[in-house]
Amino acid sequence: MLRLIGLVASIGLADSLNPSTVAPALYLATGERPRRAVLQFTAAVAGIFFAGGVVLTVGPGQALLALIPHPGPTVRYIAETVAGVTMLVGAALLWRNRERLGAKASSDEPPKQRSAVLLGLTIGGVELPTAFPYFAAIIAVVASGVDVVHELILIAIYNLCFVLPLLAIAMVLTVAGDRATDVLVRVRAYLRAHWPMLLAVLALIAGLFVTALGVTGLTSGVHGRVGGVSRRVRRIISH
């Protein structure tokens, strides 16, 4: 279970620096009733993503699991490897297109003023179908063979990690008070220009960690030097 928590938390944290959620939250943080608006937006985004994760986990996920009632370690390790490779591919694409994406983000218009809840629901609904890191985490969770309650706990952990930057914005508003606006405006300007590079680095770190979990699991039973190295690496990264 600890391995799975580390897996979903690392993917969630890497995916958390998402301009589609962080940028609107930063704009809301400079508007009226900023803390309330950011918290409402955060709850709406997390609610949509959690609901989507629940549907995928207990619906198609359980149907697929029924085909393999007792998934062995190999299935779990393959799922972890797939999740990690997905993150690495995403990191490579972000890094390759970092200049174009950064320039596009800098020219984007601020979101229109509307209900923070409606804005969160809208953005969450648009982002969910293309949330490939989230899908990779769900695949790994379903393939782990844990019961439904633990699956939902893992999905909740992912979503908590995913909205941590939004909660951090709300915390800054609470602690810094009137000074928060200047701080968040500078953060917004920096993230708009550099988010592809930052997200690529986070995705790379998470992808390497998750891929290492899967690959070392697949090769730890091999005899010889490869198996020995895999077992040592796995003990380090999974404890």
Side-chain angles (χ1 to χ4, degrees):
M1 188 65 178
L2 289 177
R3 185 186 75 252
L4 287 170
I5 291 174
L7 186 149
V8 298
S10 60
I11 297 177
L13 289 171
D15 198 26
S16 67
L17 197 61
N18 188 326
S20 297
T21 54
V22 175
L26 287 169
Y27 279 109
L28 290 171
T30 58
E32 298 180 358
R33 297 182 177 178
R35 184 177 64 176
R36 178 180 177 182
V38 170
L39 288 175
Q40 289 177 337
F41 175 78
T42 301
V45 170
I48 284 288
F49 266 68
F50 180 73
V54 170
V55 169
L56 291 173
T57 301
V58 304
Q62 292 304 309
L64 290 173
L65 189 60
L67 300 176
I68 313 174
H70 302 288
T74 300
V75 174
R76 298 197 295 270
Y77 299 151
I78 290 174
E80 290 173 355
T81 303
V82 170
V85 170
T86 300
M87 296 294 292
L88 293 175
V89 171
L93 291 175
L94 283 168
W95 186 264
R96 180 178 179 182
N97 298 289
R98 63 189 183 281
E99 293 183 0
R100 178 176 61 83
L101 292 171
K104 181 180 182 301
S106 297
S107 62
D108 283 346
E109 293 295 326
K112 296 179 180 179
Q113 291 295 323
R114 63 179 79 175
S115 163
V117 173
L118 178 59
L119 182 62
L121 293 174
T122 302
I123 290 176
V126 170
E127 286 294 307
L128 183 58
T130 58
F132 298 114
Y134 193 20
F135 299 153
I138 290 172
I139 290 171
V141 168
V142 171
S144 69
V146 298
D147 59 66
V148 174
V149 173
H150 284 91
E151 286 181 340
L152 297 183
I153 291 173
L154 290 166
I155 296 300
I157 291 172
Y158 176 96
N159 282 281
L160 174 61
C161 293
F162 180 70
V163 298
L164 274 181
L166 310 186
L167 295 175
I169 293 171
M171 182 175 293
V172 170
L173 289 168
T174 301
V175 174
D178 295 336
R179 297 172 296 167
T181 299
D182 292 337
V183 173
L184 294 175
V185 166
R186 289 196 294 269
V187 171
R188 183 177 67 196
Y190 181 83
L191 288 179
R192 287 179 69 181
H194 299 94
W195 74 264
M197 180 182 66
L198 297 174
L199 187 53
V201 171
L202 287 175
L204 174 63
I205 295 171
L208 289 173
F209 172 73
V210 177
T211 302
L213 280 175
V215 171
T216 56
L218 289 171
T219 58
S220 59
V222 176
H223 296 293
R225 181 176 298 178
V226 172
V229 171
S230 295
R231 287 188 290 273
R232 285 195 294 271
V233 172
R234 190 165 183 81
R235 282 196 296 270
I236 293 171
I237 64 178
S238 60
H239 291 84

